[in-house]
Short mmCIF file of all heavy atoms in Angstrom, two decimals:
data_model
loop_
_atom_site.label_atom_id
_atom_site.label_comp_id
_atom_site.label_asym_id
_atom_site.label_seq_id
_atom_site.Cartn_x
_atom_site.Cartn_y
_atom_site.Cartn_z
N ILE B 378 -37.37 4.45 -50.18
CA ILE B 378 -36.97 4.56 -48.78
C ILE B 378 -38.18 4.50 -47.88
O ILE B 378 -39.18 5.17 -48.11
CB ILE B 378 -36.20 5.89 -48.56
CG1 ILE B 378 -34.77 5.73 -49.08
CG2 ILE B 378 -36.20 6.30 -47.11
CD1 ILE B 378 -33.97 7.01 -49.09
N MET B 379 -38.08 3.64 -46.86
CA MET B 379 -39.10 3.66 -45.80
C MET B 379 -38.32 3.76 -44.50
O MET B 379 -37.19 3.29 -44.42
CB MET B 379 -39.96 2.40 -45.85
CG MET B 379 -39.18 1.11 -45.77
SD MET B 379 -40.04 -0.29 -46.54
CE MET B 379 -39.30 -0.30 -48.18
N GLY B 380 -38.88 4.41 -43.51
CA GLY B 380 -38.04 4.64 -42.34
C GLY B 380 -38.82 4.72 -41.05
O GLY B 380 -39.96 5.20 -41.02
N HIS B 381 -38.19 4.23 -39.98
CA HIS B 381 -38.73 4.43 -38.64
C HIS B 381 -38.17 5.78 -38.18
O HIS B 381 -37.22 5.85 -37.40
CB HIS B 381 -38.30 3.29 -37.73
CG HIS B 381 -38.57 1.93 -38.29
ND1 HIS B 381 -39.80 1.58 -38.81
CD2 HIS B 381 -37.80 0.83 -38.41
CE1 HIS B 381 -39.75 0.32 -39.23
NE2 HIS B 381 -38.56 -0.16 -39.02
N VAL B 382 -38.78 6.83 -38.71
CA VAL B 382 -38.15 8.15 -38.62
C VAL B 382 -38.04 8.63 -37.18
O VAL B 382 -37.10 9.35 -36.82
CB VAL B 382 -38.87 9.14 -39.56
CG1 VAL B 382 -40.30 9.32 -39.15
CG2 VAL B 382 -38.16 10.46 -39.65
N GLY B 383 -38.93 8.18 -36.33
CA GLY B 383 -38.87 8.56 -34.91
C GLY B 383 -37.66 7.99 -34.20
O GLY B 383 -37.28 8.45 -33.12
N ASP B 384 -37.04 6.97 -34.77
CA ASP B 384 -35.86 6.35 -34.16
C ASP B 384 -34.56 6.71 -34.88
O ASP B 384 -33.48 6.30 -34.45
CB ASP B 384 -35.94 4.81 -34.23
CG ASP B 384 -37.20 4.27 -33.58
OD1 ASP B 384 -37.60 4.83 -32.56
OD2 ASP B 384 -37.75 3.27 -34.09
N GLY B 385 -34.65 7.39 -36.01
CA GLY B 385 -33.44 7.67 -36.79
C GLY B 385 -33.02 6.52 -37.68
O GLY B 385 -31.90 6.48 -38.18
N ASN B 386 -33.92 5.59 -37.88
CA ASN B 386 -33.63 4.35 -38.60
C ASN B 386 -34.39 4.34 -39.93
O ASN B 386 -35.57 4.69 -39.96
CB ASN B 386 -34.13 3.19 -37.72
CG ASN B 386 -33.85 1.80 -38.26
OD1 ASN B 386 -34.58 0.86 -37.91
ND2 ASN B 386 -32.84 1.60 -39.07
N PHE B 387 -33.70 4.03 -41.03
CA PHE B 387 -34.45 3.92 -42.28
C PHE B 387 -33.95 2.74 -43.11
O PHE B 387 -32.83 2.28 -42.95
CB PHE B 387 -34.37 5.22 -43.10
CG PHE B 387 -33.11 5.37 -43.91
CD1 PHE B 387 -33.10 5.10 -45.27
CD2 PHE B 387 -31.93 5.77 -43.30
CE1 PHE B 387 -31.93 5.23 -46.02
CE2 PHE B 387 -30.76 5.90 -44.05
CZ PHE B 387 -30.76 5.63 -45.41
N HIS B 388 -34.84 2.25 -43.94
CA HIS B 388 -34.51 1.17 -44.86
C HIS B 388 -34.60 1.70 -46.29
O HIS B 388 -35.65 2.21 -46.68
CB HIS B 388 -35.49 0.00 -44.73
CG HIS B 388 -35.62 -0.51 -43.32
ND1 HIS B 388 -34.56 -1.02 -42.62
CD2 HIS B 388 -36.69 -0.61 -42.50
CE1 HIS B 388 -34.97 -1.40 -41.41
NE2 HIS B 388 -36.26 -1.16 -41.32
N ALA B 389 -33.50 1.57 -47.04
CA ALA B 389 -33.59 1.79 -48.49
C ALA B 389 -33.70 0.40 -49.12
O ALA B 389 -32.97 -0.52 -48.74
CB ALA B 389 -32.35 2.50 -49.00
N PHE B 390 -34.64 0.27 -50.01
CA PHE B 390 -34.89 -1.01 -50.67
C PHE B 390 -34.23 -0.88 -52.05
O PHE B 390 -34.85 -0.45 -53.02
CB PHE B 390 -36.40 -1.21 -50.76
CG PHE B 390 -36.86 -2.59 -51.11
CD1 PHE B 390 -36.64 -3.65 -50.24
CD2 PHE B 390 -37.53 -2.83 -52.30
CE1 PHE B 390 -37.09 -4.93 -50.56
CE2 PHE B 390 -37.97 -4.11 -52.64
CZ PHE B 390 -37.76 -5.16 -51.75
N ILE B 391 -32.93 -1.23 -52.10
CA ILE B 391 -32.16 -0.94 -53.32
C ILE B 391 -32.44 -2.03 -54.36
O ILE B 391 -32.19 -3.22 -54.11
CB ILE B 391 -30.65 -0.88 -53.04
CG1 ILE B 391 -30.37 -0.05 -51.78
CG2 ILE B 391 -29.92 -0.29 -54.25
CD1 ILE B 391 -28.88 0.04 -51.43
N LEU B 392 -32.93 -1.60 -55.50
CA LEU B 392 -33.35 -2.54 -56.54
C LEU B 392 -32.23 -2.71 -57.58
O LEU B 392 -31.52 -1.76 -57.91
CB LEU B 392 -34.62 -2.03 -57.22
CG LEU B 392 -35.83 -1.93 -56.27
CD1 LEU B 392 -36.93 -1.07 -56.88
CD2 LEU B 392 -36.37 -3.30 -55.91
N ALA B 393 -32.12 -3.94 -58.07
CA ALA B 393 -31.12 -4.21 -59.10
C ALA B 393 -31.61 -5.35 -59.97
O ALA B 393 -32.34 -6.24 -59.50
CB ALA B 393 -29.77 -4.56 -58.46
N SER B 394 -31.23 -5.32 -61.25
CA SER B 394 -31.73 -6.35 -62.16
C SER B 394 -30.63 -7.01 -62.98
O SER B 394 -30.88 -7.93 -63.73
CB SER B 394 -32.77 -5.74 -63.12
OG SER B 394 -32.14 -4.75 -63.91
N ASN B 395 -29.39 -6.52 -62.86
CA ASN B 395 -28.31 -7.13 -63.62
C ASN B 395 -26.99 -6.98 -62.86
O ASN B 395 -26.92 -6.29 -61.84
CB ASN B 395 -28.21 -6.50 -65.01
CG ASN B 395 -27.99 -4.98 -64.92
OD1 ASN B 395 -27.13 -4.52 -64.17
ND2 ASN B 395 -28.78 -4.22 -65.66
#
Side-chain angles (χ1 to χ4, degrees):
Chain B
I378 282 173
M379 56 206 96
H381 309 310
V382 62
D384 304 322
N386 183 205
F387 81 101
H388 306 300
F390 194 66
I391 315 179
L392 297 164
S394 63
N395 57 48

